[in-house]
Amino acid sequence: MSYEIKTGKEQTEPILWTGDFYNEGTGSGDIFDTLKEECGVFGVFGHPEAASMSYYGLHALQHRGEESAGICVADGRDFNYHRGMGLVKEVFDKDRIASLVGDMSIGHVRYSTSGDSRLTNAQPLVFKYRDGDLAIATNGNIVNEPLIRRQLEQSGSIFQTTSDTEVLAHLIARSPKDFVEAAKDALEQLVGGFAFLLMTNDKLLVASDSHGLRPLVMGRVGEAYVFASESCALETIGAQFVRDIEPGELLVLDKDGLREDRFTEPKRKALCAMEYIYFARPDSDLNGSNLHAARKRMGSRMALEAFVDADIVTGVPDSSISAAIGYAEQTGIPYELGLIKNKYTGRTFIQPSQELREQGVKMKLSAVRRVVEGQRVVMIDDSIVRGTTSRRIVNLLREAGAVEVHVRITSPPFKNPCFYGIDTPDRRELIASYKTIEEMCEEINADSLAFLSPDGLISSIGGYNSNDYKGGLCLSCFDNDYPTQVDFGGAEKDGCSC
């Protein structure tokens, strides 16, 4: 048996990590050109072990950011904080956590995308201002940040970081109003998708953008309040889920308890669809919909929309496993572990030879020859970005002896950049923006290729009021319909520099 491996017009050389910490400076240079999540935030109010709870909460959110981590605590008088480059378990140890004393905390895990990969951008960012200390952690992206930054610099502000989070601190500090009212005014000036945690010596503020683009949930542990980017982090510390933070909402927590307020009126609901498709953990719930169940429904709907006769179904680990199970259950084709992910390749301090570098993809993902050899394989994946990843995985399966490889993507074609906190390449690098599905199929060396329809995606996710526009989702990366203004005359940015 023979077959031709089509490499396309460009073959990107695999890149291995050789820096001082996991994921240093990665992004489009990763072996797999998958999208990078923005960040993860975690906050605690009113618990004597706030730092320890934040540590475990950030562990649960590690998938949302693997480059830096930080925790800041307040004891009613002073701040104690620590930030570092690397994974949560590398940045913090037992002694470090013990030194962070206080009953209020905010924590952060981060990927750098459009912001620089350096310690000064690690969050929470901590500032001194007229009313004391201020710490800020955020998940998302402020589209009009360059415009606001330029205006602030022209009026005398001096910035210490390239993070757009610092813009909010400057806006608050320049306001003559009290902290809460100043925060409201500042948040109202921001355009984009964001979930903010703001902490002073005696207050914790929680805010979500007016469209709810970035996820943020609230929980309780006894009398203490907990906030997190995903509900899985609440489960980790034994917190009870209370509710999602609403678009435009501002919560104020202080000695008087919790006060529910808002800094702006809610606009159309538009939670990022990629949270459901790829980013969030399968054990998380978003707006009443469990991620594993939603992804299974995506796979089932994919089978109805684009069935192909085959011998086995396999999913690209880890985010596509649930969808592959759904496809298999719908079709009756057996689900098999045809692809295995090596979870321990994050670091390498050895610069390999060119021959070994070309095998770099196999360090991260392997095809199970005894499973796929001689089989017609349906390969389920969540998205195609540049196409290089899909081509490599298809070729892995072919090299392991698969006689046919049919690729099914449980999202519509990814054609447009994200302005709200996902690290996406330039539109010209998104293969779906300039190739037809037939051309993409040839480029990735598949026997057939199909994408889930937008209607199929919306109906699979569920969890929203049926009257919500597009199911209450942001689908702009698929249909170019952005919920906010994204053009500020060249003074705007995409990606994420939180």
Side-chain angles (χ1 to χ4, degrees):
M1 179 184 66
S2 64
Y3 59 88
E4 177 186 3
I5 296 181
K6 303 171 186 175
T7 59
K9 59 183 178 183
E10 59 178 356
Q11 179 68 43
T12 304
E13 180 181 332
I15 303 297
L16 302 183
W17 292 286
T18 55
D20 294 331
F21 53 87
Y22 178 78
N23 215 36
E24 177 180 5
T26 63
S28 61
D30 191 355
I31 290 175
F32 291 97
D33 64 332
T34 52
L35 301 171
K36 292 294 188 295
E37 178 53 283
E38 55 292 329
C39 299
V41 297
F42 191 88
V44 179
F45 181 87
H47 197 287
E49 297 183 32
S52 294
M53 293 175 69
S54 292
Y55 173 80
Y56 289 111
L58 293 179
H59 256 298
L61 299 174
Q62 187 73 85
H63 59 288
R64 300 185 70 88
E66 300 179 345
E67 188 164 282
S68 68
I71 297 173
C72 179
V73 301
D75 60 7
R77 299 181 305 276
D78 301 310
F79 273 7
N80 291 293
Y81 65 93
H82 179 69
R83 300 170 299 175
M85 305 304 291
L87 302 174
V88 175
K89 66 180 181 180
E90 297 171 328
V91 174
F92 296 98
D93 57 24
K94 182 179 179 180
D95 293 336
R96 181 69 68 179
I97 292 296
S99 70
L100 300 176
V101 179
D103 64 356
M104 180 168 55
S105 70
I106 61 174
H108 192 266
V109 288
R110 177 178 185 264
Y111 269 125
S112 69
T113 55
S114 60
D116 292 340
S117 171
R118 59 187 187 184
L119 183 58
T120 54
N121 282 335
Q123 293 190 30
L125 297 183
V126 179
F127 309 91
K128 290 284 187 182
Y129 85 121
R130 66 176 185 276
D131 292 332
D133 298 310
L134 172 62
I136 305 179
T138 186
N139 166 25
N141 183 56
I142 302 170
V143 184
N144 63 337
E145 182 270 347
L147 181 62
I148 298 175
R149 180 184 288 257
R150 186 172 64 198
Q151 293 170 344
L152 289 169
E153 287 175 335
Q154 289 173 347
S155 60
S157 292
I158 299 174
F159 285 81
Q160 303 299 316
T161 75
T162 59
S163 169
D164 58 8
T165 307
E166 190 176 356
V167 166
L168 179 61
H170 281 267
L171 291 173
I172 292 173
R174 293 170 68 90
S175 173
K177 299 180 180 179
D178 67 69
F179 174 65
V180 174
E181 292 303 314
K184 285 183 183 180
D185 290 348
L187 289 164
E188 197 169 14
Q189 296 180 54
L190 308 182
V191 176
F194 53 80
F196 273 111
L197 299 180
L198 301 92
M199 187 174 71
T200 65
N201 304 91
D202 60 359
K203 285 184 176 62
L204 176 65
L205 270 60
V206 182
S208 175
D209 70 84
S210 60
H211 295 276
L213 281 151
R214 303 264 61 93
L216 189 59
V217 299
M218 176 170 65
R220 294 291 298 269
V221 178
E223 297 301 312
Y225 290 91
V226 184
F227 303 91
S229 292
E230 292 183 37
S231 63
C232 64
L234 305 182
E235 296 282 348
T236 299
I237 62 166
Q240 180 181 4
F241 173 82
V242 176
R243 65 177 179 87
D244 296 281
I245 307 304
E246 294 298 318
E249 189 171 23
L250 177 70
L251 303 181
V252 181
L253 298 98
D254 57 22
K255 61 181 178 59
D256 296 322
L258 169 67
R259 175 162 59 92
E260 298 176 344
D261 201 347
R262 58 176 51 255
F263 66 89
T264 188
E265 290 303 310
K267 299 182 177 66
R268 121 188 191 204
K269 283 187 177 180
L271 178 61
C272 173
M274 288 303 297
E275 292 285 352
Y276 290 95
I277 297 165
Y278 175 65
F279 290 125
R281 268 180 34 172
D283 55 335
S284 288
D285 296 336
L286 293 178
N287 283 315
S289 183
N290 172 256
L291 270 296
H292 168 67
R295 288 171 185 165
K296 279 189 67 177
R297 291 192 295 268
M298 292 177 205
S300 177
R301 178 63 180 257
M302 185 82 254
L304 295 174
E305 293 185 359
F307 171 80
V308 61
D309 191 21
D311 301 309
I312 64 171
V313 177
T314 193
V316 177
D318 292 310
S319 59
S320 300
I321 299 298
S322 299
I325 294 172
Y327 190 99
E329 289 182 355
Q330 181 66 45
T331 60
I333 301 172
Y335 167 77
E336 295 284 354
L337 285 175
L339 293 164
I340 301 294
K341 182 179 180 181
N342 184 351
K343 299 179 184 298
Y344 302 99
T345 58
R347 285 172 171 263
T348 175
F349 296 103
I350 302 172
Q351 186 67 31
S353 67
Q354 179 61 28
E355 287 182 337
L356 290 178
R357 286 175 67 85
E358 291 173 354
Q359 297 298 314
V361 64
K362 294 183 180 179
M363 291 180 61
K364 191 116 182 213
L365 196 68
S366 299
V368 185
R369 180 175 294 274
R370 294 294 179 92
V371 171
V372 305
E373 190 171 27
Q375 302 295 300
R376 298 169 297 166
V377 179
V378 179
M379 185 191 95
I380 306 294
D381 205 355
D382 48 66
S383 59
I384 295 181
V385 184
R386 294 178 177 86
T388 53
T389 293
S390 298
R391 184 173 66 240
R392 288 172 180 142
I393 300 174
V394 169
N395 289 341
L396 275 180
L397 292 169
R398 291 197 184 280
E399 290 168 4
V403 294
E404 293 178 12
V405 182
H406 302 275
V407 177
R408 296 295 180 266
I409 305 298
T410 53
S411 66
F414 201 111
K415 297 181 178 181
N416 310 290
C418 176
F419 291 88
Y420 306 121
I422 297 174
D423 180 24
T424 53
D426 186 277
R427 180 180 274 109
R428 292 168 294 184
E429 297 180 61
L430 296 169
I431 189 172
S433 70
Y434 61 88
K435 284 184 180 292
T436 65
I437 292 178
E438 291 74 19
E439 290 170 336
M440 293 170 65
C441 182
E442 181 179 2
E443 179 78 9
I444 67 172
N445 195 29
D447 290 282
S448 69
L449 171 65
F451 293 84
L452 186 62
S453 69
D455 287 343
L457 175 63
I458 293 170
S459 64
S460 298
I461 289 174
Y464 282 99
N465 186 311
S466 59
N467 294 324
D468 287 332
Y469 181 68
K470 295 186 179 179
L473 300 171
C474 175
L475 304 176
S476 56
C477 51
F478 310 125
D479 62 13
N480 204 37
D481 181 12
Y482 295 97
T484 74
Q485 180 182 353
V486 294
D487 183 1
F488 292 87
E492 70 278 330
K493 67 181 181 68
D494 56 11
C496 171
S497 64
C498 60

